[in-house]
């Protein structure tokens, strides 16, 4: 009788174990403090467009599990972690020549963004190009975010004084409000979200000119197995087909 009960108990445990989700692939990642790519929700939970995409991938392929996006990591350390294989993947990278040499990017983009300028309201600047900024002959800085592709792009243009001491878009807008510079340069996704959620809509506006249209991608460490990368790629393709990616993108007023 005792043996029979033990056997029945073992059978129940086996079937219970078999019914639990088994994550064949666990991918280490991290969150960048960049609203609305990643931002903290109520209850100390992380949200944002990149979190939505990762969670959608987990739903269409339950074997995939992303770990680590629940807390922010300094962007420079995040990039170094991905380069050294301490992180497996990051969602929300601009694809640059320097980054392509370090990471493995998926071919398909996640969403589209544009480099733009923000100014304090009341500034009547008419800027359509970097030459318009250079023609001002001003020694005042153009503000941007430290360690970002926006900073690299801006400094590569030459002839302008760049201040990239801001750690994130929140700091960037505070520097602009405090007159640390005349312009704030970043992508429209981050600037528009930071203006809205920082309560700066009556004080800061984005100029209409676009300086570069590009996309954000998922980037993997070079140590991540190709089979794993292909599995994530296939999950993203499913999200394209079932319309989930379009729904996420429209939620944040973006374009593919």
């Amino acid at each position: 009788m005792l043996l029979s009960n033990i056997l029945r108990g073992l059978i129940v445990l086996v079937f219970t174990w078999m019914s639990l989700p088994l994550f064949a692939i666990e991918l280490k990642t991290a969150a960048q403090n960049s609203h609305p790519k990643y931002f903290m929700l109520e209850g100390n939970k992380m949200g944002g467009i990149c979190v939505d995409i990762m969670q959608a991938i987990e739903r269409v392929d339950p074997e995939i599990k992303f770990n680590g996006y629940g807390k922010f990591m300094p962007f420079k350390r995040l990039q170094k972690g991905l380069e050294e294989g301490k992180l497996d993947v990051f969602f929300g990278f601009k694809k640059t020549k320097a980054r392509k040499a370090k990471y493995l990017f998926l071919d398909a983009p996640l969403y589209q963004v544009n480099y733009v300028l923000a100014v304090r309201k009341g500034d009547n600047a008419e800027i359509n190009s970097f030459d318009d900024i250079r023609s001002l002959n001003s020694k005042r800085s153009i503000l941007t975010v430290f360690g970002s592709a926006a900073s690299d792009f801006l400094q590569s243009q030459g002839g302008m004084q760049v201040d990239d001491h801001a750690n994130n878009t929140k700091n960037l807008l505070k520097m602009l409000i405090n007159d640390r510079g005349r312009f704030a340069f970043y992508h429209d996704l981050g600037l528009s979200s930071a203006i809205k959620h920082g309560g700066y809509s009556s004080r800061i506006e984005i100029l209409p000119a676009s300086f570069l249209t590009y996309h954000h991608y998922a980037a993997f460490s070079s140590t991540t197995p190709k089979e794993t990368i292909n599995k994530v790629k296939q999950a993203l393709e499913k999200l394209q087909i079932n319309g989930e990616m379009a729904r996420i993108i429209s939620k944040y007023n973006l374009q593919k």
Side-chain angles (χ1 to χ4, degrees):
M1 184 69 177
L2 178 60
L3 182 58
S4 177
N5 288 337
I6 292 173
L7 288 174
R8 279 199 298 268
L10 288 173
I11 291 171
V12 169
L13 285 173
V14 169
F15 278 98
T16 301
W17 175 78
M18 291 176 64
S19 66
L20 292 174
L22 298 177
F23 303 121
I25 299 173
E26 293 199 24
L27 294 169
K28 298 184 297 293
T29 187
Q32 177 191 6
N33 190 357
S34 181
H35 203 294
K37 287 164 60 175
Y38 300 88
F39 58 90
M40 200 62 70
L41 300 168
E42 291 184 8
N44 206 34
K45 292 184 179 180
M46 193 69 70
I49 182 171
C50 294
V51 174
D52 286 358
I53 291 171
M54 283 187 279
Q55 291 176 346
I57 289 172
E58 291 174 339
R59 287 194 295 272
V60 296
D61 190 340
E63 290 187 344
I64 299 174
K65 178 67 175 178
F66 297 99
N67 289 317
Y69 63 72
K71 60 182 179 180
F72 296 123
M73 180 180 290
F75 196 45
K76 279 288 189 180
R77 180 146 59 91
L78 188 156
Q79 294 176 76
K80 189 68 173 177
L82 192 64
E83 182 180 352
E84 294 176 347
K86 295 176 182 177
L87 299 178
D88 299 307
V89 63
F90 178 72
F91 283 76
F93 258 157
K94 178 187 175 186
K95 188 187 294 186
T96 66
K97 184 177 180 180
R99 287 176 178 173
K100 285 171 66 177
K102 299 177 182 178
Y103 317 125
L104 301 174
F105 284 84
L106 292 184
D107 292 331
L110 300 174
Y111 51 84
Q112 177 181 300
V113 290
N114 303 277
Y115 279 147
V116 293
L117 287 173
V119 296
R120 292 180 298 278
K121 284 198 173 180
D123 188 325
N124 297 317
E126 294 186 10
I127 304 296
N128 295 299
S129 68
F130 288 124
D131 284 338
D132 290 338
I133 298 175
R134 295 185 187 100
S135 69
L136 296 174
N137 293 319
S138 174
K139 293 183 179 180
R140 303 189 68 196
S141 300
I142 303 177
L143 309 170
T144 190
V145 176
F146 174 74
S148 66
S151 176
D152 293 340
F153 177 79
L154 189 57
Q155 296 190 62
S156 71
Q157 304 306 307
M160 297 174 289
Q161 184 171 329
V162 178
D163 181 344
D164 68 348
H165 284 87
N167 292 324
N168 50 56
T169 51
K170 182 179 179 180
N171 295 149
L172 178 64
L173 295 186
K174 284 184 177 180
M175 290 173 68
L176 181 63
I177 287 294
N178 292 329
D179 202 19
R180 290 276 298 275
R182 184 174 181 181
F183 305 103
F185 183 85
Y186 203 59
H187 55 67
D188 52 358
L189 169 67
L191 281 177
S192 60
S193 179
I195 290 170
K196 177 181 176 181
H197 292 275
Y200 293 118
S201 298
S202 64
R203 304 179 69 185
I204 297 175
E205 62 183 338
I206 295 175
L207 299 180
S210 173
F211 293 84
L212 180 71
T213 296
Y214 64 100
H215 294 84
H216 279 170
Y217 293 80
F220 293 82
S221 168
S222 61
T223 63
T224 306
K226 289 185 178 180
E227 296 80 6
T228 298
I229 297 174
N230 285 334
K231 199 165 180 60
V232 175
K233 177 183 176 182
Q234 290 166 8
L236 282 170
E237 289 171 349
K238 291 178 182 177
L239 295 177
Q240 296 288 355
I241 294 170
N242 68 17
E244 182 65 10
M245 276 296 291
R247 188 195 66 78
I248 294 172
I249 289 169
S250 65
K251 174 181 174 182
Y252 294 89
N253 298 313
L254 296 172
Q255 293 180 320
K256 184 69 174 71

